[in-house]
Amino acid sequence: MKKILKKVLILGGTGDAVKLAAQLANIPQIEVISSLAGRTKKPSALVGQVRIGGFGGAEGLANYLKENAIDFLIDVTHPCAGQITNNGAIASQLAQIPHLMLVRTQWEKQSGDNWIEVETVEAAAQAIPESVKRVFITSGRQQLEPFWQRSQTYPDTWYLMRSIDPPDIELPNSKVLLDRGPFNLEQERELLGEYQIEAIVSKNSGGAATYAKIIAARELGIPIVMVQRPAMPEGEKVTSIEEAIAWLNSRLKAF
């Protein structure tokens, strides 16, 4: 008689999601499905099944969970991806299945950090000091419109943009670096020095993969316009892959 596996849907798109899928594949009683939005053209290789594309909001995700008999939903999306996280919380309630959010611990301001804290990328573009002429944008390739708008007011500002894929908008007076983290401290020191960066725009992603730029900026006295995370929905949360696996194992025992 064929053993019925429990299905786990991972809302992914992050390095943690890739690692979690690989480790869950070692648990014999589950089937892992990873969902990607499809925004990254060359995503990291994933273990298990992969689904690419949106769901059509919370109701669409709930329908997918029901139609595919998903038993557990684990959200491992970017900490600043507020919409899909909210949709996951609502959808899991509609589908009446256990739901977990794996959320990296956010970065905390340290002595020597010069952060300009803002709520949105739009506010970040406006918060760059007028005196700054060379900006390093690390807040994502899909939200460059505010910086394009800023470039019309401050045409002398030069922008360095780093992303995995080419950006959708080409900023005037700019350079694009195509690269994927993690980045080490020596790399970040050299990059900030080579391009004479005077300010950084970043989201508070948390984790270790891109924290080196925060340390390098601290050492060099470079201000960071830091976009804060959106409010998280209520629900069960953990901060590590190990805790997520323990959460799942504890629930598998109930079946």
Side-chain angles (χ1 to χ4, degrees):
M1 181 176 178
K2 186 176 180 181
K3 186 176 181 180
I4 299 176
L5 302 179
K6 296 299 177 183
K7 292 184 180 181
V8 179
L9 178 65
I10 297 175
L11 300 179
T14 63
D16 286 339
V18 173
K19 294 174 185 176
L20 179 62
Q23 293 199 35
L24 291 186
N26 295 320
I27 301 177
Q29 62 264 49
I30 68 171
E31 177 182 338
V32 181
I33 305 168
S34 294
S35 174
L36 305 178
R39 292 171 182 166
T40 301
K41 296 177 182 178
K42 295 182 179 179
S44 299
L46 281 158
V47 176
Q49 297 181 45
V50 179
R51 178 193 181 280
I52 297 178
F55 292 97
E59 186 174 343
L61 175 53
N63 289 337
Y64 177 89
L65 297 174
K66 294 173 186 176
E67 291 168 3
N68 292 274
I70 303 297
D71 296 289
F72 305 97
L73 177 64
I74 304 181
D75 180 354
V76 201
T77 55
H78 192 282
C80 294
Q83 188 60 60
I84 184 60
T85 295
N86 286 325
N87 288 348
I90 296 170
S92 62
Q93 291 181 347
L94 293 173
Q96 297 185 325
I97 64 170
H99 170 233
L100 179 71
M101 291 168 273
L102 197 168
V103 189
R104 301 177 217 153
T105 302
Q106 67 180 1
W107 299 322
E108 298 293 340
K109 192 175 180 180
Q110 305 289 320
S111 176
D113 284 334
N114 179 7
W115 289 6
I116 303 169
E117 297 177 271
V118 297
E119 297 298 321
T120 64
V121 173
E122 289 76 14
Q126 296 175 11
I128 298 169
E130 292 182 22
S131 60
V132 167
K133 300 300 181 186
R134 300 182 71 83
V135 180
F136 182 25
I137 301 174
T138 66
S139 52
R141 68 180 178 86
Q142 295 179 325
Q143 293 178 291
L144 294 181
E145 177 66 27
F147 302 99
W148 188 91
Q149 294 289 348
R150 186 184 187 278
S151 71
Q152 307 309 295
T153 305
Y154 302 100
D156 293 338
T157 304
W158 182 84
Y159 299 92
L160 177 66
M161 167 69 193
R162 181 168 68 192
S163 65
I164 297 173
D165 295 318
D168 300 326
I169 295 176
E170 183 177 347
L171 295 178
N173 203 22
S174 67
K175 178 180 177 67
V176 175
L177 296 178
L178 299 181
D179 206 351
R180 187 194 298 267
F183 305 103
N184 63 47
L185 183 55
E186 183 178 353
Q187 286 176 306
E188 299 297 64
R189 285 176 182 145
E190 290 180 357
L191 183 146
L192 296 179
E194 177 182 354
Y195 292 102
Q196 301 174 35
I197 298 301
E198 298 174 1
I200 299 172
V201 177
S202 174
K203 291 180 178 177
N204 195 330
S205 303
T210 60
Y211 188 66
K213 69 185 176 191
I214 308 298
I215 301 174
R218 183 186 307 142
E219 293 177 348
L220 297 169
I222 295 173
I224 300 178
V225 182
M226 186 68 76
V227 181
Q228 300 304 297
R229 296 180 179 185
M232 297 286 292
E234 295 294 324
E236 295 185 88
K237 302 179 182 71
V238 296
T239 60
S240 70
I241 293 171
E242 293 73 21
E243 290 174 308
I245 294 172
W247 176 90
L248 181 59
N249 278 327
S250 69
R251 278 148 188 79
L252 287 171
K253 292 177 182 177
F255 288 94

